[in-house]
């Protein structure tokens, strides 16, 4: 029998990761803050074709952002020694022994670079997966991906190496910068 909290999976080398609702609230609010006013104006104020195109474009942009946020929120990950598997609306598996791309980028929200988020891009053949640092256990996923990249001898960019170092991830000297 498996405990409800999933500890048996962790003991077996399997971990689970998901985007917590609290981390996604700001994105949902941003989507609503753009979509709702544009939609209300579009529905209540008579506008010409140019106004309709502008308001419709804004509404569509924020609707797509909201949809992407919902898809990300519904995605969960299961990580083992062999692979990283995403389940939810878009299912994908990154097999560590086939990893052929790792990029870790930092996006700053302030000029002093004190606030921002990291994004991890992984690929193994046609399988592609992009995660941001709001997901629970992001550091653990990055460490496992970096170990797989080192084992495969992947060349990593200077920016990726610097970002790995910022997270405290040390790599063996295989691979190198490109």
């Amino acid at each position: 029998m498996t405990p409800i909290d999933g500890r048996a999976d962790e003991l077996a080398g399997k971990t689970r990761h998901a985007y917590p609702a609290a981390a996604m609230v700001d994105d949902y609010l941003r989507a609503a803050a753009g979509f709702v006013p544009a939609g209300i104006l579009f529905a209540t104020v008579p506008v010409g074709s140019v106004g309709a195109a502008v308001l419709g474009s804004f509404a569509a942009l924020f609707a797509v952002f909201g949809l992407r946020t919902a898809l990300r929120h519904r995605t969960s990950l299961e990580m083992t020694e062999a692979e990283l598997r995403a389940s939810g609306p878009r299912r994908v598996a990154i097999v560590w022994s086939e990893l052929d791309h790792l990029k870790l980028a930092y996006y700053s929200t302030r000029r002093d670079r004190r606030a921002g988020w990291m994004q991890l891009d992984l690929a193994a053949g046609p399988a592609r997966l992009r995660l941001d640092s709001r997901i629970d256990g992001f550091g653990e996923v990055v460490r496992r991906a970096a170990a797989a990249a080192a084992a495969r001898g992947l060349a990593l960019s200077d920016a990726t190496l610097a970002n790995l170092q910022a997270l405290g991830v040390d790599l063996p000297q295989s691979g190198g910068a490109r």
Side-chain angles (χ1 to χ4, degrees):
M1 183 189 266
T2 303
I4 294 174
D5 65 4
R7 288 186 189 254
D9 286 343
E10 290 178 26
L11 294 174
K14 184 187 301 182
T15 60
R16 297 182 194 282
H17 310 271
Y19 288 96
M24 304 306 289
V25 167
D26 288 343
D27 283 353
Y28 283 122
L29 291 174
R30 285 181 194 99
F35 179 76
V36 171
I40 289 172
L41 283 173
F42 191 66
T44 60
V45 176
V47 293
S49 59
V50 173
V54 170
L55 285 175
S57 296
F58 278 125
L61 179 70
F62 284 100
V64 168
F65 179 71
L67 179 61
R68 289 189 67 210
T69 299
L71 291 174
R72 178 173 286 140
H73 190 193
R74 292 187 59 210
T75 298
S76 63
L77 301 176
E78 186 176 277
M79 185 170 68
T80 66
E81 285 299 312
E83 68 182 3
L84 178 65
R85 182 173 297 275
S87 59
R90 184 172 173 260
R91 298 178 188 278
V92 66
I94 301 292
V95 178
W96 297 126
S97 63
E98 297 173 7
L99 185 71
D100 55 26
H101 174 78
L102 182 148
K103 177 182 175 187
L104 182 61
Y106 176 72
Y107 297 96
S108 179
T109 57
R110 298 177 59 183
R111 281 190 177 189
D112 63 9
R113 299 185 59 82
R114 290 188 183 181
W117 75 94
M118 288 193 157
Q119 181 172 288
L120 178 65
D121 293 329
L122 300 171
R128 304 254 183 264
L129 186 59
R130 179 175 289 165
L131 310 170
D132 69 49
S133 54
R134 295 176 295 176
I135 196 163
D136 288 333
F138 180 75
E140 185 180 350
V141 174
V142 170
R143 277 186 276 291
R144 181 63 189 99
R152 301 255 310 144
L154 294 183
L156 302 176
S157 71
D158 290 337
T160 293
L161 291 169
N163 290 327
L164 287 169
Q165 186 177 25
L167 285 179
V169 177
D170 293 319
L171 292 178
Q173 290 301 322
S174 66
R178 69 174 158 154

